[in-house]
Amino acid sequence: MNWGRGNFTRSVAFRWIVSYAVILCIPVILSVIIYGQTRGIVKYEIERASSAMLQQVRYIVDGELLQTESLAAQLAIHPDVRRLLTAPSEESAYNIYGMKQELNKLLSTNDFIKEIYLYSKPLQSVLSNETYLKERIFYEIKHQTQNFTYEDWLKLINRFQSGEYVLLPVENQGRIENTPSYIRSLPMKSAADPEGTLIMPLNVEKMRTMLETIDWVEQGQVFIMDSNDQILFQNAKETTIETSSYQEWNNRGTGTFTGTFQGIESMITIESSDTTGWKYISVFPTDVFWERAGAIRTMNLFGLLLCFAIGGAVIYYFARKNYDPVKQLVSVFSRSPLQGKGTDLDEYTFIRRSVLETIRERDDMNNKHVQQLRVLQDYYLGRLLKGQADRNIPLTELAKTHNLTWTSDRFAVLLFYIDNDEGGTKDLALSQFIVSNIVADSIVDRLTIHFTDMDGMLAAVVNVDPDRAEHWKDDIEDKLAQAYDFITARYKLRFTTVGSELQTGLDGIHQAFLQALEAQEYRMVLGEGMLIWYGDIKPNEGSYFFTVNDQMILINFLKADEFEKAKDMIDNVIQQAFQRDMSHEIAKCVLLDVATTLIKTIPDQEQAGIAWDEWRPLKRLLSCSTKLEFQQELLVIFDRVCGVLRSKQNVQTSAGIGEKVMAFVQENYSDKDLSVSLIGDRFRLTPQYVSRLFREQTGQVGLHDYISQTRIEAAKALLLEGAGIEETATRVGFASSHAFIRVFKKYEGITPGKFKTIQ
């Protein structure tokens, strides 16, 4: 191909070059994306490292705080401490000495606590692990500062402390500094006037040493705050958190986020302790972590340059090499050079058109042959089913002529009755095509089957191999069940299959067809969505089971407004009519008899206008052919009859029913069995109907609530007379005192016992 000509842009060589260039752009784009993702990766690493570091601090500090509080609890119940708080001054010397030794032992086992102070209010002295001094001298030595006066010290140690952490000025290596200290009153249960106070300053140096062992702490700042947002500890002594900044951080909750601290962009992490309620805050400049992204950026730039250098050479080489086979293939399909064939014509398009044209010509010929053969098969199978086929020609020759793969002279016939669900196809030809193809694909591995249309009905001739003569029905049932599930789910089609017994010879095909036609009459009894075999039809011409007495019972149910019982009776009749051993003639008569019985319950003046002219029930029932259709039509008639009967209920019977019910409840509220159902039986009404009438006529909330309120009013009178709760519950009709108490509290807001006390 001459690349210098104007048609180069339509050539496949040009497309290859463009494609290779696009491929070359892939690593470039990936490099850009990777570099763009670097910031997100580094940010994630910052958040993860900061959160892990702060969690490590929280775990350590929380553990030490728990040990501190546990130690305080031990000291609170220590007998020497109690004696120190209660003993007279002349008897406490020995106790003081022993307690001092005990405090030294406790401090030696817990280096998180710097000192332990025990203040005795009766003695007005403070005992520590080092000394025993009067309260004022102790204050001047340990806590005296300009901002923390002696009065502040006394106020702190004399008021009740439930156990919290405060900042106290504590002498540490010759200087006074604010130190987090745990303080609680002694004894623990004396809240009004404590006898003493326990103070345990924490070892700040220990906490600083602990933080120095954690990565990145020296490059950032850590703040530890109590539940009152008071900074108890920080690794940078002269740094504070501005109120506005902390409020903004606190609104974001716990976690890691980016913010500004002292004008520097920082990664801020906040952790909250579930144990103590303290908050742990770490602030680290983000520049500390961005140094890691420099190496990734350098590698990306180097990779881009390398891709451009190598990619250009590869594109040129493969574009030249791959075009030669295409050029040779074009010369095979064309006698002249590929020129003047259209503006959109390239080498591949020309080859594709040539190949597709050849394939299309072959497929057209094959399709015409298949269609002609299909017409011949349908015509021949139709004649076989009707008994009109030529019997003088051998079976094998007929099968070969019509391309029928018959391997034996044993035949059976299947008939398919197809119906569609909502959303399924309504085209009969398409439905038959779907069912025949799927069923044929399912059965072909065990039996030979050929389909044809018989007067709008899908028929199939099954050829059974002698080796499968004993199991051919099982094979068909299994495969049809699988096909039915698939067709129903995929195409929203339902079909019922009827089948004949196994027959011999071409004459047997017609006999099998007649058997299948006879079996299809029993679809009504046996139902849809199943396989009906002619050999399984054994009707029992029994007696007519829906008697005159049954009719009267059904009519009485409807007139008595017992519609649920009437519906149950109709369901039982339908189930009995569609038993497998029931004659379908008797079943039809019974169902028609049930329909006419339902219509008889409608008043005479409305039967002609509603039942016969508008509903046309018998015409609709006679058009039914399956159990489901009969059942649906009967339920429609039943619902309409019930609607007419409900609308024509005697108004006089319902009038004044509310007052009668109220009088009945007033007379019988002490009966434990009194309920809405019992009242409905008393007035010959359903519970729902009598409750609705009572609510409409009396304006009460409900009949059940009225019964309960009547009982509660009677119970209140008995309680005022001095009756006990058990006796009152029994006399007003409650099954137990527990039920009485529960209902009484529901309506009165208090228990019966409380009611008696108030009154």
Side-chain angles (χ1 to χ4, degrees):
M1 181 177 181
N2 189 355
W3 285 11
R5 297 181 180 179
N7 60 358
F8 171 69
T9 57
R10 298 197 305 270
S11 174
V12 295
F14 177 76
R15 296 184 183 180
W16 283 340
I17 294 174
V18 174
S19 300
Y20 294 152
V22 171
I23 296 174
L24 178 61
C25 291
I26 292 177
V28 176
I29 295 174
L30 289 177
S31 298
V32 174
I33 293 175
I34 291 173
Y35 181 73
Q37 293 296 322
T38 301
R39 184 178 184 86
I41 295 173
V42 173
K43 182 178 180 181
Y44 171 75
E45 290 295 332
I46 294 173
E47 295 176 354
R48 192 166 66 92
S50 179
S51 179
M53 182 276 298
L54 200 60
Q55 287 180 7
Q56 183 180 357
V57 173
R58 178 170 62 85
Y59 292 151
I60 296 174
V61 175
D62 281 357
E64 297 291 348
L65 293 178
L66 287 176
Q67 291 185 13
T68 301
E69 295 176 7
S70 175
L71 178 59
Q74 294 177 22
L75 287 173
I77 62 175
H78 198 284
D80 291 342
V81 174
R82 297 185 63 84
R83 283 194 294 270
L84 178 65
L85 298 177
T86 59
S89 58
E90 62 273 7
E91 298 180 4
S92 60
Y94 179 76
N95 292 339
I96 292 171
Y97 176 78
M99 198 63 226
K100 181 179 178 183
Q101 299 300 321
E102 183 66 22
L103 294 180
N104 282 319
K105 291 180 181 179
L106 294 176
L107 283 176
S108 64
T109 59
N110 192 334
D111 57 354
F112 192 72
I113 301 173
K114 181 176 181 59
E115 293 181 278
I116 300 177
Y117 306 148
L118 283 172
Y119 168 69
S120 174
K121 187 174 182 180
L123 301 178
Q124 296 183 347
S125 301
V126 179
L127 172 65
S128 69
N129 56 298
E130 297 177 349
T131 182
Y132 175 70
L133 299 171
K134 287 297 182 179
E135 55 187 22
R136 187 171 189 93
I137 300 175
F138 182 84
Y139 159 76
E140 293 173 353
I141 295 175
K142 291 290 186 179
H143 301 295
Q144 185 174 7
T145 62
Q146 294 180 353
N147 297 328
F148 189 66
T149 65
Y150 177 67
E151 287 73 16
D152 295 335
W153 156 254
L154 290 179
K155 183 178 179 180
L156 176 67
I157 62 176
N158 283 310
R159 73 166 179 258
F160 176 74
Q161 303 287 351
S162 60
E164 58 184 13
Y165 291 88
V166 298
L167 283 176
L168 285 179
V170 178
E171 186 275 333
N172 184 17
Q173 296 181 355
R175 67 179 184 277
I176 300 295
E177 61 179 346
N178 289 333
T179 302
S181 304
Y182 181 78
I183 180 171
R184 83 180 306 160
S185 298
L186 298 176
M188 294 166 48
K189 297 182 179 180
S190 178
D193 188 16
E195 298 174 355
T197 304
L198 172 64
I199 304 174
M200 292 191 293
L202 303 183
N203 192 341
V204 177
E205 297 299 328
K206 169 67 177 180
M207 297 178 68
R208 290 197 182 100
T209 304
M210 174 190 68
L211 290 178
E212 290 175 357
T213 61
I214 300 175
D215 295 340
W216 301 336
V217 170
E218 69 278 0
Q219 302 181 45
Q221 300 181 46
V222 177
F223 301 91
I224 301 177
M225 308 174 69
D226 61 7
S227 57
N228 298 322
D229 296 335
Q230 178 182 216
I231 299 177
L232 298 180
F233 175 80
Q234 60 189 66
N235 63 333
K237 297 181 180 179
E238 298 181 357
T239 303
T240 59
I241 303 177
E242 296 181 0
T243 304
S244 58
S245 299
Y246 176 73
Q247 185 63 36
E248 179 184 354
W249 300 350
N250 196 39
N251 291 337
R252 297 193 183 186
T254 59
T256 302
F257 51 88
T258 303
T260 303
F261 180 72
Q262 295 182 345
I264 301 174
E265 184 180 3
S266 303
M267 187 62 61
I268 301 165
T269 302
I270 300 178
E271 290 284 338
S272 180
S273 173
D274 297 333
T275 304
T276 61
W278 287 18
K279 292 182 180 178
Y280 299 81
I281 303 174
S282 65
V283 183
F284 296 96
T286 54
D287 295 340
V288 175
F289 302 94
W290 285 118
E291 298 174 358
R292 301 187 177 186
I296 299 177
R297 179 177 57 187
T298 303
M299 292 177 60
N300 283 338
L301 294 175
F302 178 76
L304 289 176
L305 295 176
L306 188 62
C307 287
F308 279 118
I310 298 177
V314 172
I315 289 174
Y316 177 81
Y317 172 76
F318 281 103
R320 292 293 301 267
K321 181 178 181 180
N322 293 339
Y323 184 72
D324 290 338
V326 176
K327 185 177 181 180
Q328 295 175 7
L329 190 59
V330 170
S331 64
V332 173
F333 286 97
S334 177
R335 295 181 180 179
S336 60
L338 187 62
Q339 295 179 0
K341 299 297 181 179
T343 56
D344 61 340
L345 191 64
D346 59 15
E347 294 88 342
Y348 281 149
T349 304
F350 173 76
I351 296 172
R352 183 177 67 254
R353 288 180 180 178
S354 300
V355 173
L356 290 178
E357 184 177 355
T358 303
I359 295 174
R360 189 179 302 110
E361 292 177 357
R362 184 200 63 186
D363 291 342
D364 289 342
M365 294 179 62
N366 291 337
N367 290 335
K368 291 179 180 178
H369 176 72
V370 171
Q371 292 175 0
Q372 293 173 356
L373 184 60
R374 180 62 180 171
V375 172
L376 291 175
Q377 285 181 351
D378 290 343
Y379 175 75
Y380 177 67
L381 290 175
R383 289 177 58 84
L384 283 177
L385 293 171
K386 295 178 181 179
Q388 301 173 356
D390 191 352
R391 301 175 180 82
N392 298 323
I393 303 177
L395 178 64
T396 55
E397 185 175 343
L398 287 172
K400 183 178 180 181
T401 301
H402 297 89
N403 197 26
L404 300 173
T405 55
W406 289 342
T407 58
S408 70
D409 61 348
R410 308 294 299 278
F411 297 95
V413 173
L414 302 177
L415 300 180
F416 295 84
Y417 297 87
I418 305 173
D419 195 7
N420 64 294
D421 293 332
E422 183 178 356
T425 178
K426 299 183 181 299
D427 189 331
L428 178 61
L430 179 59
S431 301
Q432 291 183 351
F433 175 79
I434 293 172
V435 173
S436 61
N437 278 273
I438 294 177
V439 172
D441 291 340
S442 301
I443 298 180
V444 70
D445 59 337
R446 295 189 178 182
L447 300 169
T448 302
I449 186 170
H450 296 283
F451 288 88
T452 186
D453 180 79
M454 287 293 294
D455 302 326
M457 177 175 55
L458 183 63
V461 178
V462 181
N463 183 237
V464 181
D465 190 90
D467 296 336
R468 306 295 303 176
E470 296 182 0
H471 307 286
W472 70 280
K473 284 187 177 182
D474 296 335
D475 296 339
I476 290 179
E477 289 177 355
D478 294 341
K479 297 301 182 180
L480 279 180
Q482 299 175 9
Y484 182 87
D485 293 340
F486 177 77
I487 293 173
T488 303
R490 181 68 179 274
Y491 299 102
K492 309 299 182 184
L493 295 174
R494 294 178 287 104
F495 62 87
T496 303
T497 309
V498 296
S500 69
E501 294 300 298
L502 202 59
Q503 303 294 330
T504 304
L506 295 179
D507 293 336
I509 295 178
H510 177 60
Q511 185 65 28
F513 177 64
L514 296 178
Q515 290 181 354
L517 288 176
E518 185 175 353
Q520 67 91 19
E521 292 292 332
Y522 285 84
R523 284 191 303 137
M524 182 195 73
V525 176
L526 299 178
E528 290 188 338
M530 58 182 298
L531 180 58
I532 305 173
W533 294 108
Y534 174 79
D536 295 339
I537 299 174
K538 297 178 181 179
N540 179 18
E541 302 295 339
S543 60
Y544 193 84
F545 59 88
F546 189 66
T547 63
V548 175
N549 185 49
D550 295 332
Q551 295 180 15
M552 295 303 300
I553 294 174
L554 180 58
I555 292 174
N556 290 333
F557 280 156
L558 293 171
K559 290 184 176 181
D561 199 17
E562 296 182 350
F563 298 123
E564 291 297 328
K565 294 182 180 180
K567 186 177 183 302
D568 292 340
M569 184 176 180
I570 293 173
D571 291 339
N572 292 333
V573 172
I574 293 174
Q575 292 298 327
Q576 190 173 355
F578 287 102
Q579 297 295 325
R580 295 183 65 90
D581 58 351
M582 180 60 61
S583 169
H584 67 280
E585 294 295 334
I586 293 180
K588 288 182 178 180
C589 292
V590 168
L591 297 176
L592 291 174
D593 202 358
V594 171
T596 55
T597 302
L598 290 172
I599 296 174
K600 288 178 184 178
T601 59
I602 301 176
D604 296 338
Q605 64 273 18
E606 299 184 11
Q607 284 189 9
I610 297 179
W612 307 113
D613 296 340
E614 181 181 349
W615 296 355
R616 306 183 69 83
L618 297 183
K619 181 178 180 180
R620 295 167 65 93
L621 283 172
L622 290 173
S623 65
C624 297
S625 60
T626 65
K627 173 183 176 181
L628 181 61
E629 292 175 356
F630 268 106
Q631 190 172 12
Q632 290 175 345
E633 291 299 332
L634 277 178
L635 290 178
V636 171
I637 295 173
F638 174 76
D639 291 338
R640 291 188 173 185
V641 169
C642 292
V644 173
L645 294 179
R646 288 192 180 99
S647 64
K648 296 299 179 181
Q649 288 180 346
N650 190 351
V651 178
Q652 295 179 354
T653 303
S654 301
I657 195 69
E659 296 179 359
K660 295 178 182 179
V661 170
M662 292 177 67
F664 182 81
V665 172
Q666 292 292 339
E667 295 174 1
N668 299 275
Y669 67 87
S670 60
D671 185 0
K672 295 182 179 180
D673 297 327
L674 180 64
S675 63
V676 178
S677 298
L678 186 144
I679 295 174
D681 294 339
R682 170 67 176 79
F683 292 93
R684 293 184 170 275
L685 298 171
T686 62
Q688 296 81 3
Y689 187 63
V690 71
S691 182
R692 180 168 61 85
L693 288 176
F694 177 84
R695 185 169 56 254
E696 293 174 353
Q697 295 181 14
T698 64
Q700 297 287 338
V701 177
L703 181 52
H704 179 76
D705 287 336
Y706 180 75
I707 295 172
S708 299
Q709 291 174 355
T710 302
R711 287 173 169 170
I712 293 303
E713 291 300 323
K716 289 165 62 178
L718 292 174
L719 291 172
L720 292 176
E721 294 174 2
I725 294 177
E726 287 285 346
E727 178 187 357
T728 302
T730 303
R731 292 176 62 181
V732 298
F734 285 99
S736 65
S737 59
H738 298 289
F740 167 59
I741 294 171
R742 176 174 52 81
V743 176
F744 190 97
K745 187 175 182 180
K746 174 183 176 182
Y747 290 97
E748 297 298 323
I750 58 175
T751 62
K754 185 68 174 177
F755 176 81
K756 292 181 65 177
T757 302
I758 294 175
Q759 298 301 325

